[in-house]
Amino acid sequence: MLRSEFDQWFANKAVEAGATLVSNIRVEDLLWKEKKVAGIVAGEDKIEANVVIAADGAVSFMSEKAGLKRFYVKQFALGMKEIIELPEKTIEDRFNLTNGAGAAQLFVGQCTKKIPGGGFIYTNRTSLSVGIVVYIDRLIEKKIDSHEIISEFNENPVVAELIKGGKILEYSAHVIPETSRSKLFRDGMLVVGDAGGLVVNNGITLRGMDMAIASGAAAAEAVKKAMEKNDFSNECLSHYEDLLKKDFVLKDIDTFSRAPEFLQNHRLYALYPEIACRLFHNLTAVDGAKKRVFDEILKVTKGNRTKMILDSIRGLRAL
Ligand SMILES: Cc1cc2nc3c(=O)[nH]c(=O)nc-3n(C[C@H](O)[C@H](O)[C@H](O)COP(=O)(O)OP(=O)(O)OC[C@H]3O[C@@H](n4cnc5c(N)ncnc54)[C@H](O)[C@@H]3O)c2cc1C
């Protein structure tokens, strides 16, 4: 899905349903009345409201100002993505696609210089989404320039061949709240989407859009109920969290609650890809030596088997 097209379409749907859309205005602060959130401040404007729904993304200053969240750099990953335009036929040929099918390729290991994260390529009809996700604290720790990582990824022979001749239509960098959860409600305020840390990364898929949409819908339900009762207190707005618990949002986050910690294990990005490469290299090299798969596995895993067994158990529990 191309966000530049989808977001505009979706915003228009809200306008058609009666919402007023005000874009290109930065919300700077919250209004308060008797320790309750009572509206927002944007430039010279002060807009009062019974409820403010903070949907201001991963680095949600509004939820921080409301005392619902504190930031630690360890909780965030950085996602960088390019949309690269190519003719439909070229994409079908390069990815071996027919009948309108699409493809997704994931990369792990050297593409992030062995720090936790990974690379991805998704096909769209006439473009590719190509990108990298990496943990920000590890970038800082290893003094790696984020731009360097995506450039090197694009230059990798496998990737370079797939994107050859393409034109970059969009480039974006976006923070992902991997483990940055916020409290989701207080008097006069609800927090939805990335602002509340409502994302699930299980190492294969990164889900945040469905969570943002579903939490937005649940927030609307909760506000509707609050309006019927004319009660915008913490207690009444807690209905929002009940709705998220009943729906897939908090259920899925709970199911994968161990995933972020497991996915920060550096062995997944350095040792294990190296072992896999060594194994396949040894098995496919025709050099006269007798090779049994089991013997080769024992050879390449020597000294690391206990760690591998423990990590496998952790992985099965987390994912
Ligand atoms: C590289 C990458 C790949 C991803 N892939 C997927 C995927 O395949 N599937 C999926 O489901 N999710 C994916 N995600 C996650 C997904 O993009 C997010 O979870 C989703 O966009 C969250 O929506 P949101 O509305 O909560 O926040 P955002 O989309 O971040 O929107 C927040 C908006 O608030 C605005 N804003 C912020 N502060 C203020 C302020 N003070 N005043 C006014 N406006 C403000 C921002 O400008 C922004 O427009 C991906 C993320 C990245 C980085």
Side-chain angles (χ1 to χ4, degrees), residues 3 25-27 55-57 79 174 176 193-194 206-209 212:
R3 286 295 297 268
I25 303 286
R26 187 165 168 263
V27 175
D56 49 343
H174 200 289
I176 301 165
D194 275 16
L206 168 61
R207 287 173 47 203
M209 286 175 62

Side-chain angles (χ1 to χ4, degrees), residues 101-121:
Q105 294 192 3
L106 301 177
F107 299 77
V108 68
Q110 190 55 43
C111 65
T112 57
K113 296 184 184 282
K114 301 182 185 176
I115 62 176
F120 61 86
I121 303 182

Side-chain angles (χ1 to χ4, degrees), residues 58-61 63-64 69-73 75-76 180:
V59 188
S60 171
F61 290 122
S63 52
E64 191 189 30
K69 183 175 195 166
R70 294 190 68 185
F71 292 106
Y72 302 98
V73 72
Q75 302 167 327
F76 294 94
S180 168

Side-chain angles (χ1 to χ4, degrees), residues 88-89 91-93 95-103 123-125:
E88 191 171 353
K89 179 79 176 66
I91 294 175
E92 285 174 353
D93 291 346
F95 289 82
N96 208 12
L97 301 173
T98 50
N99 302 328
T123 59
N124 309 307
R125 201 166 50 78

